Amino acid sequence: MRLTQLSMLLGATLLGAQALAHDFTAGDMHIIHPWSRALPPVAPTGAAYLVLENKGEQTDRLISATSPIARRVELHEHIHQDGLMKMQQIDSVEIAPGAEVEFKPGGHHFMLFDLQQPLTDGSSYPMTLNFEHAGKVDVEVKVTGEPAAAPSSADHDAHAHH
Ligand SMILES: [Cu+2]
């Protein structure tokens, strides 16, 4: 009886932590805290970040992503070239067994083109990730933070040169 109560309590605590952490699981793929930085309403492009954790025993690959709020979503990475930080599109992102791949500002990110709605602080939007093995996974991306000033945003600067 006591054990049952304890495990129920533990279960409730874990559920609470998960709700805070805002994560998603599909097969062996664990998707942690998808988020976007809030942008001024006029911003034509935005970026999304998250952490992918492969809990399985085979390599999986993120192939693409889509979102109803963007006409096109691309996978991007930042590279250093001739002393400059640039970003470029990549075909896929490999997640080795046991590995954790973090998408973050200045690193891998999802680029959302032709935003159909503004990324306002406190809002969220759906995005679908397409994995080679885990398949299609729907996640919710949370928008946080004050709008970044468009001209000083590294993402936007780099995109002006695309
Ligand atoms: Cu980009």
Side-chain angles (χ1 to χ4, degrees), residues 70-93:
R71 286 248 158 81
R72 190 160 46 97
V73 180
E74 291 182 358
L75 304 175
H76 279 195
E77 67 175 354
H78 274 99
I79 50 159
H80 289 280
Q81 201 177 61
D82 306 323
L84 288 172
M85 189 85 144
K86 289 185 176 177
M87 59 176 156
Q88 65 181 22
Q89 189 180 1
I90 45 177
D91 290 337
S92 65
V93 175

PDB file of all heavy atoms in Angstrom, residues 70-93:
ATOM      1  N   ALA A  70       4.667  28.841 -41.295  1.00  0.00           N
ATOM      2  CA  ALA A  70       5.720  29.250 -42.227  1.00  0.00           C
ATOM      3  C   ALA A  70       5.525  28.568 -43.577  1.00  0.00           C
ATOM      4  O   ALA A  70       5.130  27.403 -43.641  1.00  0.00           O
ATOM      5  CB  ALA A  70       7.092  28.910 -41.662  1.00  0.00           C
ATOM      6  N   ARG A  71       5.810  29.299 -44.646  1.00  0.00           N
ATOM      7  CA  ARG A  71       5.659  28.707 -45.976  1.00  0.00           C
ATOM      8  C   ARG A  71       6.686  27.604 -46.181  1.00  0.00           C
ATOM      9  O   ARG A  71       6.478  26.639 -46.895  1.00  0.00           O
ATOM     10  CB  ARG A  71       5.855  29.783 -47.044  1.00  0.00           C
ATOM     11  CG  ARG A  71       4.693  30.735 -47.164  1.00  0.00           C
ATOM     12  CD  ARG A  71       3.941  30.568 -48.495  1.00  0.00           C
ATOM     13  NE  ARG A  71       2.567  31.086 -48.393  1.00  0.00           N
ATOM     14  CZ  ARG A  71       2.258  32.378 -48.504  1.00  0.00           C
ATOM     15  NH1 ARG A  71       3.185  33.254 -48.753  1.00  0.00           N
ATOM     16  NH2 ARG A  71       1.000  32.764 -48.385  1.00  0.00           N
ATOM     17  N   ARG A  72       7.876  27.768 -45.516  1.00  0.00           N
ATOM     18  CA  ARG A  72       8.946  26.807 -45.719  1.00  0.00           C
ATOM     19  C   ARG A  72       9.789  26.748 -44.441  1.00  0.00           C
ATOM     20  O   ARG A  72      10.021  27.773 -43.806  1.00  0.00           O
ATOM     21  CB  ARG A  72       9.813  27.270 -46.891  1.00  0.00           C
ATOM     22  CG  ARG A  72      10.832  26.298 -47.403  1.00  0.00           C
ATOM     23  CD  ARG A  72      11.240  26.686 -48.834  1.00  0.00           C
ATOM     24  NE  ARG A  72      11.498  28.135 -48.945  1.00  0.00           N
ATOM     25  CZ  ARG A  72      12.715  28.666 -48.865  1.00  0.00           C
ATOM     26  NH1 ARG A  72      13.756  27.914 -48.725  1.00  0.00           N
ATOM     27  NH2 ARG A  72      12.876  29.980 -48.947  1.00  0.00           N
ATOM     28  N   VAL A  73      10.194  25.556 -44.065  1.00  0.00           N
ATOM     29  CA  VAL A  73      11.089  25.399 -42.918  1.00  0.00           C
ATOM     30  C   VAL A  73      12.338  24.656 -43.393  1.00  0.00           C
ATOM     31  O   VAL A  73      12.239  23.618 -44.046  1.00  0.00           O
ATOM     32  CB  VAL A  73      10.428  24.598 -41.768  1.00  0.00           C
ATOM     33  CG1 VAL A  73      11.391  24.457 -40.596  1.00  0.00           C
ATOM     34  CG2 VAL A  73       9.130  25.265 -41.307  1.00  0.00           C
ATOM     35  N   GLU A  74      13.500  25.245 -43.110  1.00  0.00           N
ATOM     36  CA  GLU A  74      14.759  24.597 -43.503  1.00  0.00           C
ATOM     37  C   GLU A  74      15.597  24.265 -42.276  1.00  0.00           C
ATOM     38  O   GLU A  74      15.502  24.937 -41.250  1.00  0.00           O
ATOM     39  CB  GLU A  74      15.580  25.547 -44.402  1.00  0.00           C
ATOM     40  CG  GLU A  74      14.967  25.779 -45.767  1.00  0.00           C
ATOM     41  CD  GLU A  74      15.835  26.691 -46.642  1.00  0.00           C
ATOM     42  OE1 GLU A  74      16.899  27.169 -46.171  1.00  0.00           O
ATOM     43  OE2 GLU A  74      15.444  26.917 -47.799  1.00  0.00           O
ATOM     44  N   LEU A  75      16.421  23.230 -42.409  1.00  0.00           N
ATOM     45  CA  LEU A  75      17.395  22.909 -41.365  1.00  0.00           C
ATOM     46  C   LEU A  75      18.656  23.696 -41.681  1.00  0.00           C
ATOM     47  O   LEU A  75      19.159  23.645 -42.797  1.00  0.00           O
ATOM     48  CB  LEU A  75      17.715  21.406 -41.360  1.00  0.00           C
ATOM     49  CG  LEU A  75      16.525  20.452 -41.209  1.00  0.00           C
ATOM     50  CD1 LEU A  75      17.003  19.002 -41.354  1.00  0.00           C
ATOM     51  CD2 LEU A  75      15.860  20.651 -39.866  1.00  0.00           C
ATOM     52  N   HIS A  76      19.159  24.428 -40.711  1.00  0.00           N
ATOM     53  CA  HIS A  76      20.351  25.244 -40.921  1.00  0.00           C
ATOM     54  C   HIS A  76      21.426  24.944 -39.891  1.00  0.00           C
ATOM     55  O   HIS A  76      21.137  24.480 -38.798  1.00  0.00           O
ATOM     56  CB  HIS A  76      20.006  26.733 -40.793  1.00  0.00           C
ATOM     57  CG  HIS A  76      19.398  27.315 -42.034  1.00  0.00           C
ATOM     58  ND1 HIS A  76      19.284  28.667 -42.242  1.00  0.00           N
ATOM     59  CD2 HIS A  76      18.885  26.718 -43.142  1.00  0.00           C
ATOM     60  CE1 HIS A  76      18.721  28.889 -43.423  1.00  0.00           C
ATOM     61  NE2 HIS A  76      18.465  27.730 -43.974  1.00  0.00           N
ATOM     62  N   GLU A  77      22.657  25.242 -40.271  1.00  0.00           N
ATOM     63  CA  GLU A  77      23.751  25.213 -39.305  1.00  0.00           C
ATOM     64  C   GLU A  77      24.588  26.467 -39.506  1.00  0.00           C
ATOM     65  O   GLU A  77      24.554  27.089 -40.559  1.00  0.00           O
ATOM     66  CB  GLU A  77      24.623  23.968 -39.510  1.00  0.00           C
ATOM     67  CG  GLU A  77      25.383  23.993 -40.824  1.00  0.00           C
ATOM     68  CD  GLU A  77      26.335  22.821 -40.989  1.00  0.00           C
ATOM     69  OE1 GLU A  77      26.496  22.053 -40.040  1.00  0.00           O
ATOM     70  OE2 GLU A  77      26.907  22.698 -42.085  1.00  0.00           O
ATOM     71  N   HIS A  78      25.304  26.848 -38.474  1.00  0.00           N
ATOM     72  CA  HIS A  78      26.224  27.968 -38.580  1.00  0.00           C
ATOM     73  C   HIS A  78      27.624  27.422 -38.829  1.00  0.00           C
ATOM     74  O   HIS A  78      28.027  26.436 -38.237  1.00  0.00           O
ATOM     75  CB  HIS A  78      26.232  28.795 -37.293  1.00  0.00           C
ATOM     76  CG  HIS A  78      25.155  29.839 -37.261  1.00  0.00           C
ATOM     77  ND1 HIS A  78      23.973  29.663 -36.604  1.00  0.00           N
ATOM     78  CD2 HIS A  78      25.096  31.073 -37.828  1.00  0.00           C
ATOM     79  CE1 HIS A  78      23.229  30.749 -36.761  1.00  0.00           C
ATOM     80  NE2 HIS A  78      23.874  31.623 -37.492  1.00  0.00           N
ATOM     81  N   ILE A  79      28.344  28.058 -39.710  1.00  0.00           N
ATOM     82  CA  ILE A  79      29.724  27.646 -39.965  1.00  0.00           C
ATOM     83  C   ILE A  79      30.634  28.872 -39.939  1.00  0.00           C
ATOM     84  O   ILE A  79      30.200  29.975 -40.227  1.00  0.00           O
ATOM     85  CB  ILE A  79      29.882  26.930 -41.338  1.00  0.00           C
ATOM     86  CG1 ILE A  79      29.230  27.776 -42.447  1.00  0.00           C
ATOM     87  CG2 ILE A  79      29.274  25.548 -41.304  1.00  0.00           C
ATOM     88  CD1 ILE A  79      29.751  27.426 -43.818  1.00  0.00           C
ATOM     89  N   HIS A  80      31.867  28.630 -39.565  1.00  0.00           N
ATOM     90  CA  HIS A  80      32.861  29.700 -39.621  1.00  0.00           C
ATOM     91  C   HIS A  80      33.578  29.594 -40.956  1.00  0.00           C
ATOM     92  O   HIS A  80      34.104  28.556 -41.302  1.00  0.00           O
ATOM     93  CB  HIS A  80      33.873  29.551 -38.487  1.00  0.00           C
ATOM     94  CG  HIS A  80      33.278  29.860 -37.156  1.00  0.00           C
ATOM     95  ND1 HIS A  80      33.102  31.140 -36.705  1.00  0.00           N
ATOM     96  CD2 HIS A  80      32.805  29.051 -36.181  1.00  0.00           C
ATOM     97  CE1 HIS A  80      32.552  31.108 -35.506  1.00  0.00           C
ATOM     98  NE2 HIS A  80      32.355  29.861 -35.155  1.00  0.00           N
ATOM     99  N   GLN A  81      33.548  30.683 -41.716  1.00  0.00           N
ATOM    100  CA  GLN A  81      34.203  30.660 -43.014  1.00  0.00           C
ATOM    101  C   GLN A  81      34.875  32.010 -43.232  1.00  0.00           C
ATOM    102  O   GLN A  81      34.225  33.048 -43.163  1.00  0.00           O
ATOM    103  CB  GLN A  81      33.157  30.398 -44.096  1.00  0.00           C
ATOM    104  CG  GLN A  81      33.731  29.862 -45.388  1.00  0.00           C
ATOM    105  CD  GLN A  81      32.616  29.563 -46.389  1.00  0.00           C
ATOM    106  OE1 GLN A  81      31.873  30.453 -46.779  1.00  0.00           O
ATOM    107  NE2 GLN A  81      32.496  28.317 -46.791  1.00  0.00           N
ATOM    108  N   ASP A  82      36.170  31.985 -43.480  1.00  0.00           N
ATOM    109  CA  ASP A  82      36.944  33.213 -43.682  1.00  0.00           C
ATOM    110  C   ASP A  82      36.726  34.201 -42.538  1.00  0.00           C
ATOM    111  O   ASP A  82      36.572  35.407 -42.748  1.00  0.00           O
ATOM    112  CB  ASP A  82      36.564  33.894 -45.009  1.00  0.00           C
ATOM    113  CG  ASP A  82      36.674  32.949 -46.196  1.00  0.00           C
ATOM    114  OD1 ASP A  82      37.606  32.126 -46.190  1.00  0.00           O
ATOM    115  OD2 ASP A  82      35.836  33.024 -47.107  1.00  0.00           O
ATOM    116  N   GLY A  83      36.691  33.673 -41.315  1.00  0.00           N
ATOM    117  CA  GLY A  83      36.537  34.532 -40.154  1.00  0.00           C
ATOM    118  C   GLY A  83      35.133  35.063 -39.959  1.00  0.00           C
ATOM    119  O   GLY A  83      34.891  35.861 -39.064  1.00  0.00           O
ATOM    120  N   LEU A  84      34.222  34.620 -40.800  1.00  0.00           N
ATOM    121  CA  LEU A  84      32.836  35.072 -40.679  1.00  0.00           C
ATOM    122  C   LEU A  84      31.940  33.927 -40.242  1.00  0.00           C
ATOM    123  O   LEU A  84      32.190  32.778 -40.547  1.00  0.00           O
ATOM    124  CB  LEU A  84      32.323  35.602 -42.023  1.00  0.00           C
ATOM    125  CG  LEU A  84      32.875  36.941 -42.499  1.00  0.00           C
ATOM    126  CD1 LEU A  84      32.412  37.203 -43.931  1.00  0.00           C
ATOM    127  CD2 LEU A  84      32.439  38.073 -41.584  1.00  0.00           C
ATOM    128  N   MET A  85      30.899  34.305 -39.526  1.00  0.00           N
ATOM    129  CA  MET A  85      29.891  33.339 -39.135  1.00  0.00           C
ATOM    130  C   MET A  85      28.797  33.366 -40.181  1.00  0.00           C
ATOM    131  O   MET A  85      28.182  34.399 -40.409  1.00  0.00           O
ATOM    132  CB  MET A  85      29.345  33.751 -37.769  1.00  0.00           C
ATOM    133  CG  MET A  85      28.453  32.732 -37.151  1.00  0.00           C
ATOM    134  SD  MET A  85      29.405  31.510 -36.254  1.00  0.00           S
ATOM    135  CE  MET A  85      28.294  31.221 -34.885  1.00  0.00           C
ATOM    136  N   LYS A  86      28.593  32.225 -40.829  1.00  0.00           N
ATOM    137  CA  LYS A  86      27.549  32.170 -41.852  1.00  0.00           C
ATOM    138  C   LYS A  86      26.609  31.040 -41.512  1.00  0.00           C
ATOM    139  O   LYS A  86      26.968  30.131 -40.790  1.00  0.00           O
ATOM    140  CB  LYS A  86      28.170  31.857 -43.217  1.00  0.00           C
ATOM    141  CG  LYS A  86      28.982  32.956 -43.824  1.00  0.00           C
ATOM    142  CD  LYS A  86      29.407  32.517 -45.209  1.00  0.00           C
ATOM    143  CE  LYS A  86      30.162  33.617 -45.933  1.00  0.00           C
ATOM    144  NZ  LYS A  86      30.621  33.134 -47.248  1.00  0.00           N
ATOM    145  N   MET A  87      25.436  31.070 -42.109  1.00  0.00           N
ATOM    146  CA  MET A  87      24.628  29.877 -41.974  1.00  0.00           C
ATOM    147  C   MET A  87      24.298  29.287 -43.317  1.00  0.00           C
ATOM    148  O   MET A  87      24.274  29.958 -44.334  1.00  0.00           O
ATOM    149  CB  MET A  87      23.392  30.118 -41.138  1.00  0.00           C
ATOM    150  CG  MET A  87      22.471  31.141 -41.596  1.00  0.00           C
ATOM    151  SD  MET A  87      21.110  31.045 -40.417  1.00  0.00           S
ATOM    152  CE  MET A  87      20.498  32.644 -40.585  1.00  0.00           C
ATOM    153  N   GLN A  88      24.109  28.000 -43.313  1.00  0.00           N
ATOM    154  CA  GLN A  88      23.788  27.324 -44.554  1.00  0.00           C
ATOM    155  C   GLN A  88      22.793  26.200 -44.289  1.00  0.00           C
ATOM    156  O   GLN A  88      22.707  25.667 -43.192  1.00  0.00           O
ATOM    157  CB  GLN A  88      25.064  26.763 -45.190  1.00  0.00           C
ATOM    158  CG  GLN A  88      25.737  25.678 -44.385  1.00  0.00           C
ATOM    159  CD  GLN A  88      27.004  25.176 -45.063  1.00  0.00           C
ATOM    160  OE1 GLN A  88      27.595  25.870 -45.887  1.00  0.00           O
ATOM    161  NE2 GLN A  88      27.432  23.962 -44.721  1.00  0.00           N
ATOM    162  N   GLN A  89      22.071  25.875 -45.337  1.00  0.00           N
ATOM    163  CA  GLN A  89      21.083  24.815 -45.222  1.00  0.00           C
ATOM    164  C   GLN A  89      21.765  23.450 -45.194  1.00  0.00           C
ATOM    165  O   GLN A  89      22.776  23.243 -45.864  1.00  0.00           O
ATOM    166  CB  GLN A  89      20.123  24.887 -46.421  1.00  0.00           C
ATOM    167  CG  GLN A  89      18.935  23.955 -46.289  1.00  0.00           C
ATOM    168  CD  GLN A  89      17.994  24.048 -47.480  1.00  0.00           C
ATOM    169  OE1 GLN A  89      18.234  24.792 -48.422  1.00  0.00           O
ATOM    170  NE2 GLN A  89      16.923  23.292 -47.414  1.00  0.00           N
ATOM    171  N   ILE A  90      21.234  22.546 -44.416  1.00  0.00           N
ATOM    172  CA  ILE A  90      21.748  21.172 -44.409  1.00  0.00           C
ATOM    173  C   ILE A  90      20.607  20.214 -44.717  1.00  0.00           C
ATOM    174  O   ILE A  90      19.445  20.522 -44.452  1.00  0.00           O
ATOM    175  CB  ILE A  90      22.411  20.807 -43.058  1.00  0.00           C
ATOM    176  CG1 ILE A  90      21.547  21.274 -41.883  1.00  0.00           C
ATOM    177  CG2 ILE A  90      23.795  21.414 -42.963  1.00  0.00           C
ATOM    178  CD1 ILE A  90      22.104  20.879 -40.536  1.00  0.00           C
ATOM    179  N   ASP A  91      20.945  19.079 -45.312  1.00  0.00           N
ATOM    180  CA  ASP A  91      19.921  18.129 -45.745  1.00  0.00           C
ATOM    181  C   ASP A  91      19.281  17.394 -44.579  1.00  0.00           C
ATOM    182  O   ASP A  91      18.090  17.106 -44.580  1.00  0.00           O
ATOM    183  CB  ASP A  91      20.529  17.100 -46.703  1.00  0.00           C
ATOM    184  CG  ASP A  91      20.876  17.730 -48.046  1.00  0.00           C
ATOM    185  OD1 ASP A  91      20.264  18.763 -48.368  1.00  0.00           O
ATOM    186  OD2 ASP A  91      21.746  17.200 -48.740  1.00  0.00           O
ATOM    187  N   SER A  92      20.103  17.050 -43.597  1.00  0.00           N
ATOM    188  CA  SER A  92      19.588  16.270 -42.478  1.00  0.00           C
ATOM    189  C   SER A  92      20.515  16.430 -41.281  1.00  0.00           C
ATOM    190  O   SER A  92      21.634  16.915 -41.417  1.00  0.00           O
ATOM    191  CB  SER A  92      19.485  14.790 -42.857  1.00  0.00           C
ATOM    192  OG  SER A  92      20.774  14.266 -43.092  1.00  0.00           O
ATOM    193  N   VAL A  93      20.011  16.044 -40.131  1.00  0.00           N
ATOM    194  CA  VAL A  93      20.817  16.075 -38.912  1.00  0.00           C
ATOM    195  C   VAL A  93      20.827  14.678 -38.325  1.00  0.00           C
ATOM    196  O   VAL A  93      19.775  14.087 -38.064  1.00  0.00           O
ATOM    197  CB  VAL A  93      20.234  17.077 -37.888  1.00  0.00           C
ATOM    198  CG1 VAL A  93      21.012  17.021 -36.582  1.00  0.00           C
ATOM    199  CG2 VAL A  93      20.259  18.490 -38.451  1.00  0.00           C
TER     200      VAL A  93
END
